[in-house]
Amino acid sequence: MKGKKFYIETLGCQMNKLDSELIAGMLANMGYSATDYADDADLAIINTCSVRQHAELKALSKLGHLHHLRRKHGKPSTIAIIGCFAQRSPEYIRKHASYVDIICGPADLDRLPQLIEDARNEKKQIAVSDFRAIRSGRQKYPERLESLDTNRIVNKNQRQAFVRVQRGCDKFCSYCVVPYVRGPEQSRPPEKIIDEIRKLDNVGCREITLLGQTVNSYHCVENGKTVTLADLLYRVHNNCSVPRIRFVTSYPADFSTEILEAMAKLERICPYLHIPAQHGSNRILKLMNRKYSVEQYIELIDTARKIVPNISIAGDFIVGFPDETDDDHQCSLELIKRIRYKNCFIFKYSVRPGTLAEKKFSDNIPDEIKTKRFIELQELQDKIALEDNRNLIGQTLDVLVEGISKKSKTNPSPDGKVQLSARTTDDKIAVFDGTEDLIGQIVPVRIFDVSSLTLFADTV
Ligand code: SF4
């Protein structure tokens, strides 16, 4: 297989980004090298998302483009679709994109080497797990899946990394497709997580983000004792020297104060929580099957701010959920005002086939009202973030330099300097002019101006 090239494109969340990175390592082990050009690739992979219909349509359009390239240039010779859309709709993909060679769900990615080999010989491979059988106990979660993470190939220049601590989700929020496409919640054994982090630490990784759909419900039984997320944070902190440790995404119910105490005590755990409220109305939260009230959510954030005073909070909101009234919408505005988020990811409700909301409710909020509510929430959030960011003007903050900013990529400066994009410990984005050798380093910068999403800085 020497000399072969692969092309991979990733849509969706951080879990998909991690899967793509692990697959790239796996393919490198098989003798493949990466290419940025699909028409130069022997194998092209689209890693898909199913969270909104728009993401699935995008995946289909990317597949169509790969097919077009293959007809024109003979490459990519093997086309694979993986991830959540592949798991949700294998038959649909087979029917509407019959040229696809491999369809593989997230719980079967460890099987890719074999699928690629088989596809080269026989064509058309489908590998998706039966999560219903796993949930009902008729089948066990395949242990082989662990190999995808434990065999991780660490790049010696890697400065930021995601580490999976949990798979799947058991919450079944009524709008969400994740429990169906990523399967039941399963926590990874702590020693395997630590082994992976040590590998990253050994190459000088500066930031790791522990990933789980509901990361605060992490629990794993070890020698008869349950290891919680708080326990895991102590273990990770004590077993590596990585300067920044984060965890996402938190679910607002069952969030223990032990986690917050660990954040306060352990200096390398970043003071940042991504903890989606999704709505500010208890009536809608109930329809969404979220297992907390607005009051409980506010109490949790107040406690977090008491225990970790410099903590920044990011949230998610959905507008236009079925039956959402103007009063419900006002409640979301009130919650944003009350919490004062660092940033919010705001989405218009999109029906997902197979979810409880699709079965029980009608998508009865017209799109123009969804858009109007979306804009109102976004404008309020931007105003709050701008006000809070203004307090940072004149301050010096340590930032981890992540790379060249979008502006510099599209419009490079003639003097050889570039605009660098960096991140504060509490997850704010800062940009400043500097040299490329700073990428991957933690450096102090002074803030001289701000927008709602960006801090503009100078090197100190
Ligand atoms: S907690 Fe709810 S929204 Fe988050 S992944 Fe699980 S089902 Fe989806």
Side-chain angles (χ1 to χ4, degrees), residues 154-160 200 203-206 439-441:
V154 171
N155 174 339
K156 70 177 178 7
N157 297 318
Q158 190 152 9
R159 295 295 169 261
Q160 288 176 292
L200 291 157
V203 296
C205 188
R206 314 303 286 158
I439 294 172
Q441 293 191 41

Side-chain angles (χ1 to χ4, degrees), residues 425-445:
T425 53
D426 61 351
D427 204 55
K428 297 188 175 101
I429 300 291
V431 294
F432 65 100
D433 289 343
T435 47
E436 282 186 56
D437 59 329
L438 291 178
I439 294 172
Q441 293 191 41
I442 295 175
V443 294
V445 294

